[in-house]
Amino acid sequence: MISDLTRFLHNLRFRTKITLGMTCMLVFCGIGIGLTLSSMSSEALLEEGKKRGKAMTTGLAFRLTEPLLAMDFLQMSNLLDNAQRQYDDILYVFLTDAGANVLSHTFAGGFPTDLLRISDTRSEGRPLLLDTEQGRVYDFSAPITLGNNTLGTVRLGLSRSAIDAQIKRQQMASLVSTLAVVGVGVMLSLWFARTITHRLNRLRSSVEEIVTGNLDVHAGTTLAKYCWQIMNCHRQECPAYGDKQRRCWYLAGTLCPNCQVGEYPFKMESCRQCPVFRHNFGDELQDLAEAFDAMAVTVKNHIEELTERERTIARQQGILKTIVNVTPDFITLQDRDLRYTFAGKSFCDYFGLTEADVIGKNDFAIFSETRARSNTEEDREILATGKPLAKEVSIKRAGEHHWFHVVKVPVHDQDGSIMGILLTARDITMLKKFQEQLIQSQKLEDLGRLAGGVAHEINTPLGIILGYTQLLMDDIHDQELLDGLKTIEKQTKVCRKIVADLLGYSRQSQSVVGEVAINESLQEVINLVEHAFFLNRIKVVFLPDTAVTTLHGDKERLRQVWLNLLNNAADAIGQDGLIIVRSRLLPDTQRLEVSVADTGKGVAQHHLGKLFDPFFTTKQVGKGTGLGLSVSIGIIKDHGGTITALSPPPPPFFPDDLPKPKNGGPGTVFIVELPQTRSTETVSPPSISTT
Amino acid sequence: MTSRLLLSLLLVASLLLVGCSEDEPPITVSLEKRQEISIQPRQPAITYAYLPQYSHTESFQRHHQLVEYLSEATGLPVRQVFPDTFDHHLSMFGQGEIDVSFSNPFIYVKLANRYGARAMARIIEKNGRAEFRGQIIARRDNDRITSLADCRGKSWVAVDPSSAGGYLFPLGHFFDHGLRLDDFREVVFAGGRQENVILGVYAGLHDIGSIREGSLQVVAGKIDLGQLKVIDHSPWYPGWVYAHSPRLSADTVDLIRNALLALDYQNNAQHRAILDAANFIGFVPSDDQDFDRIRTLSQKVGLNLD
């Protein structure tokens, strides 16, 4: 019930609430005051009646003293009768002597004996309230005394109904006047509520406009007299002159001579002394409305500033986010509790996580316990000492080892305290490989230089040994000695071949540069080895591309490359196999490609990268020196080309229409890519010329 | 919400209670049950009357203690009665309604001559004398009256034609100084009340007034006595007298006389209080011959004593 009433009152309009509230207060106060005043006046009337009865009784007692002493019954009776006739509300008067004998009374037809039997418990001067057949009666009693002697008693009966009637008239008058005052008050409250709510509605409308996005509101009342009219200045360049909706003290930059520089409310101290303020300032609601208008304008300006700042920040955030997401480096930010507050996209992608998996977590929730513990110890050290950390770590993930250069720096707050740790990590795996290759290249260069030097020094004695051996063979006819010399000649030639290869590897052999027809060069070499391969049932198929013409290079050295590749293919096959030699013009790059594919045993993947290293061979001991491919890659590099090896060969290099031997291996293909035309200058001259 | 509602209800209830205060419970009395009442006849008693030179109230207050004393001292029932005027006093004495009369010597002479009253005792005034005299007063600002001779042609208010100090003595005094009743513009009487004479002069209604000496003190608290002046005093005459009716037995008279004479102002505090109230300090024995001077004076001024 109470809740329903509360809801009902809550749902009333404010104007109704004000009217209802003020009406209730007026009624409440009116009734309260009316009842109080009525009660007080009733009490006063009652007291007045009692005082009147007491006064009459006392006066009568005084006047009866002499007749009582003289026992003048006529005078007694006259006094009593006169007293009763004087007022209509006096019902009776009677006089008793000291012995309570009735000496005189105003009753006609006997004396009511009950009046003498009343137990007189009244206090001094207070009447007894009697309930008689003629209504309620105040019975007053006054003794007739002289000195200490009581001569008799006068009693007077005053009708209460006359007093009650007077009280009722007064109460009715109070009620009517109260209702009249309340009625007038209600009318005034209606007018007051309408005045208040009208202005509040203006405010509410302004608020609704603001909620819908319109900040150009005007909740205050229009000025009756503008400031320039009051000040008689007519300065149209003043902002207050152009703004007719707001009071001038809400505007900054007004041109009044006494106006302080600044904005509302900082300029109010001077404005309060201004005649414009004294003329135009309003009540609290007016102040509220004007302050509201000023607030709307201020908010509008601030919103515009904020919008512009937001755009700038969003733009910068977008750039920053793009940079952070695009950069391959890992970027993370941890707070003092080592929980991640930011993680870059590269970091998340590398570890297969989403941003939600990382933000708010620590290392133990992301990494293995061992790594997390290690990271946490490092991080705590950084938080404790404030010293950055840089290190290189190797992380194995998805079967691959990656090297990262990790930098951890403490992030300081504005007060200088450390608020977290910024981690950046860059994948330096390629750099590591390049470093290894650089070291390897340096080793090979040193080795080649050493080998070249040694070969150059050994080549001459070997020529002398071979020359003298051949001279001896001409002079010696002993077959046994001759066989021995032949063996020396053969092994010496083998040594020369090795020395020649070493010189070739070190590019210290003689170079003859000219136009080389690639297909013809290939065919010549195939013709050279075809018969020997045939003996081991190895078939060589040549697929020349007629678009391949010539290139500028060293014919002999290129033939050495082709021969080396064919020999390697035959060695990989052993017996019963197929070698496919193909030339092809790469149309996009205007480079030509020579590939030699075999059906041999193939090359393991982890050996593919080492095939071109000097002295690396997969052949049995004594079957190869490991210098062939090293020399070949050197020759091809000198011609501006590259050699790559793939095992097994992809389909384009081994057409499906060609029959593959039944017991063949996965096979390998060496692909030589050369520029089709090449200037002479691009061919590197031998660093060491042969002698 | 509940507490605020409760507070409001309490406020309303308090206001309603203020407006609904109730009287004391009435006593049920029937005015219809009537009975005729007859006045109880008074018990026989010796009636005592004080010549009404003051109001009955003053008379009562002065003498009721003495009346009670006499009743106690004599063992006889004594009741004070209140004649309205001097003539009423005389007629009541004549009708047997007064057994003991306390009156001035002029009235006594009349009572003695008319009804055979006999003196028992005279009072001793506070000045210690068993005599008293009259005073002639006027307003102090009345510069036309400074001596007895100035009273000629003036308005004279006296207490009563039967008043001794208030009329007879001043009249004799005027006679002695050559003034007759015709010499006054008017002679009016105040109904036997000394106070009325004083107030009449004080109010300016009359030029001069005659009162017994000591009466001014009776109105000392009511008017400014400084506004009045005493023009002259009459000669001293025998004072107020207690007389008894010839109907009383000699024993009763003796009892009363002895009781009066037994009052000791000096040594008995109770008696002093009685006598203070009566405004005198004692009694001296008296008989009828003490008042021959009054009879002579009356004859001189031409007043009838019978």
Side-chain angles (χ1 to χ4, degrees), chain B residues 64-81:
Chain B
H64 79 275
Q65 291 187 61
L66 184 57
V67 171
E68 289 175 357
Y69 165 75
L70 287 176
S71 179
E72 184 180 350
T74 61
L76 301 171
V78 181
R79 185 177 75 245
Q80 186 178 3
V81 296

Side-chain angles (χ1 to χ4, degrees), chain A residues 527-556:
Chain A
N527 294 338
L528 183 63
V529 298
E530 190 173 26
H531 178 71
F533 290 178
F534 179 76
L535 295 177
N536 291 324
R537 295 183 298 278
I538 297 172
K539 184 181 180 181
V540 178
V541 177
F542 179 41
L543 301 175
D545 183 355
T546 55
V548 175
T549 56
T550 60
L551 61 75
H552 196 76
D554 187 337
K555 180 179 178 181
E556 288 304 319

Side-chain angles (χ1 to χ4, degrees), chain A residues 2 6 28 32 35-36 39 43 46 50 65-66 69-71 73 92 101-103 107-115 117-118 127-134 136 138 146-147 149 151 160, chain B residues 1-2 5 8 11-12 15-40 42 55-58 60-61 64 68 80-82 84 193:
Chain A
I2 292 176
T6 305
F28 185 78
L35 284 175
T36 305
S39 172
E43 289 287 331
L46 211 56
K50 290 177 181 178
T65 306
E66 300 262 334
L69 287 172
M71 295 303 284
F73 291 102
Y92 60 83
N101 297 310
V102 177
L103 299 178
F107 292 101
F111 183 83
T113 52
D114 278 4
L115 288 176
R117 286 195 287 271
I118 295 173
L128 287 178
L129 182 62
L130 306 182
D131 190 7
T132 71
E133 295 85 349
Q134 300 176 29
R136 291 192 172 184
Y138 276 127
L146 279 175
N149 300 93
L151 305 179
R160 168 69 187 265
Chain B
M1 178 62 195
T2 305
L5 185 64
S8 303
L11 194 55
V12 171
L15 287 173
L16 292 176
L17 285 174
V18 166
C20 300
S21 60
E22 186 52 68
D23 290 328
E24 65 274 18
I27 302 169
T28 303
V29 169
S30 173
L31 297 179
E32 301 297 330
K33 292 189 289 186
R34 304 292 182 91
Q35 183 178 353
E36 291 296 339
I37 293 177
S38 58
I39 298 173
Q40 297 294 325
R42 294 192 170 186
S55 65
H56 294 333
T57 305
E58 184 69 22
F60 177 86
Q61 288 180 335
H64 79 275
E68 289 175 357
Q80 186 178 3
V81 296
F82 298 88
D84 289 331
R193 302 290 188 268

Side-chain angles (χ1 to χ4, degrees), chain A residues 169-417:
Chain A
R169 285 195 299 274
Q170 175 272 329
Q171 287 176 338
M172 185 58 67
S174 295
L175 177 64
V176 171
S177 59
T178 301
L179 289 177
V181 170
V182 169
V184 173
V186 169
M187 298 301 292
L188 288 174
S189 67
L190 275 170
W191 173 79
F192 175 71
R194 184 181 172 280
T195 305
I196 295 292
T197 54
H198 172 71
R199 299 165 74 182
L200 288 177
N201 281 334
R202 284 177 63 93
L203 268 175
R204 182 178 55 80
S205 300
S206 299
V207 172
E208 289 174 353
E209 287 291 322
I210 288 177
V211 170
T212 57
N214 178 20
L215 290 173
D216 294 323
V217 294
H218 183 213
T221 55
T222 304
L223 288 170
K225 205 169 185 181
Y226 299 108
C227 63
W228 65 86
Q229 294 172 322
I230 298 169
M231 301 297 285
N232 195 25
C233 66
H234 294 286
R235 299 184 68 176
Q236 297 189 7
E237 66 274 22
C238 180
Y241 192 91
D243 195 330
K244 297 184 177 182
Q245 290 189 341
R246 284 174 294 170
R247 270 60 172 164
C248 56
W249 53 86
Y250 290 106
L251 300 172
T254 49
L255 302 179
C256 289
N258 298 326
C259 195
Q260 286 184 357
V261 178
E263 294 184 355
Y264 171 84
F266 305 106
K267 59 184 284 191
M268 286 305 295
E269 197 59 37
S270 64
C271 288
R272 290 185 201 284
Q273 314 302 325
C274 180
V276 177
F277 181 84
R278 290 198 291 269
H279 185 275
N280 282 343
F281 89 100
D283 58 8
E284 287 83 350
L285 278 178
Q286 176 66 23
D287 290 347
L288 177 63
E290 291 169 2
F292 189 82
D293 288 346
M295 180 200 71
V297 172
T298 306
V299 169
K300 182 183 176 184
N301 294 336
H302 285 180
I303 286 176
E304 288 175 354
E305 291 177 4
L306 288 175
T307 304
E308 184 57 32
R309 288 182 188 175
E310 189 180 13
R311 285 199 199 99
T312 304
I313 290 172
R315 189 163 56 247
Q316 291 174 346
Q317 280 184 335
I319 294 171
L320 185 62
K321 190 172 182 180
T322 301
I323 292 172
V324 171
N325 284 335
V326 168
T327 183
D329 295 345
F330 297 170
I331 300 175
T332 64
L333 185 64
Q334 293 168 275
D335 59 14
R336 283 197 63 85
D337 297 329
L338 301 180
R339 296 184 182 280
Y340 286 92
T341 57
F342 175 80
K345 187 172 184 299
S346 302
F347 178 85
C348 295
D349 292 345
Y350 183 81
F351 291 105
L353 299 169
T354 63
E355 195 172 344
D357 296 333
V358 178
I359 302 301
K361 308 287 178 53
N362 55 20
D363 283 340
F364 289 96
I366 299 172
F367 302 115
S368 65
E369 185 175 351
T370 304
R371 179 168 294 279
R373 186 175 293 110
S374 172
N375 287 348
T376 302
E377 289 175 359
E378 288 176 0
D379 296 340
R380 285 177 179 162
E381 181 73 16
I382 294 169
L383 290 175
T385 62
K387 293 180 179 177
L389 171 70
K391 65 175 183 179
E392 292 180 353
V393 296
S394 174
I395 299 174
K396 184 178 182 181
R397 185 163 185 82
E400 295 182 358
H401 281 281
H402 284 262
W403 280 92
F404 289 94
H405 181 253
V406 179
V407 177
K408 291 185 178 181
V409 292
V411 181
H412 292 85
D413 204 348
Q414 289 181 347
D415 58 359
S417 60

Side-chain angles (χ1 to χ4, degrees), chain B residues 26-142:
Chain B
I27 302 169
T28 303
V29 169
S30 173
L31 297 179
E32 301 297 330
K33 292 189 289 186
R34 304 292 182 91
Q35 183 178 353
E36 291 296 339
I37 293 177
S38 58
I39 298 173
Q40 297 294 325
R42 294 192 170 186
Q43 296 296 322
I46 295 172
T47 54
Y48 173 106
Y50 174 31
L51 185 68
Q53 66 173 22
Y54 300 109
S55 65
H56 294 333
T57 305
E58 184 69 22
S59 297
F60 177 86
Q61 288 180 335
R62 285 194 176 204
H63 287 269
H64 79 275
Q65 291 187 61
L66 184 57
V67 171
E68 289 175 357
Y69 165 75
L70 287 176
S71 179
E72 184 180 350
T74 61
L76 301 171
V78 181
R79 185 177 75 245
Q80 186 178 3
V81 296
F82 298 88
D84 289 331
T85 61
F86 285 16
D87 287 341
H88 191 209
H89 188 100
L90 289 168
S91 65
M92 286 180 68
F93 193 90
Q95 293 169 7
E97 296 178 17
I98 296 174
D99 295 325
V100 175
S101 168
F102 176 53
S103 66
N104 66 41
F106 188 38
I107 291 296
Y108 166 73
V109 172
K110 286 185 178 181
L111 290 173
N113 290 351
R114 293 180 187 177
Y115 308 116
R118 286 294 174 267
M120 290 187 294
R122 280 191 291 151
I123 63 167
I124 303 172
E125 301 282 348
K126 285 200 167 179
N127 55 14
R129 303 180 63 154
E131 296 172 318
F132 76 107
R133 58 182 179 177
Q135 286 180 327
I136 299 164
I137 61 173
R139 282 190 61 84
R140 181 171 295 281
D141 56 1
N142 192 346

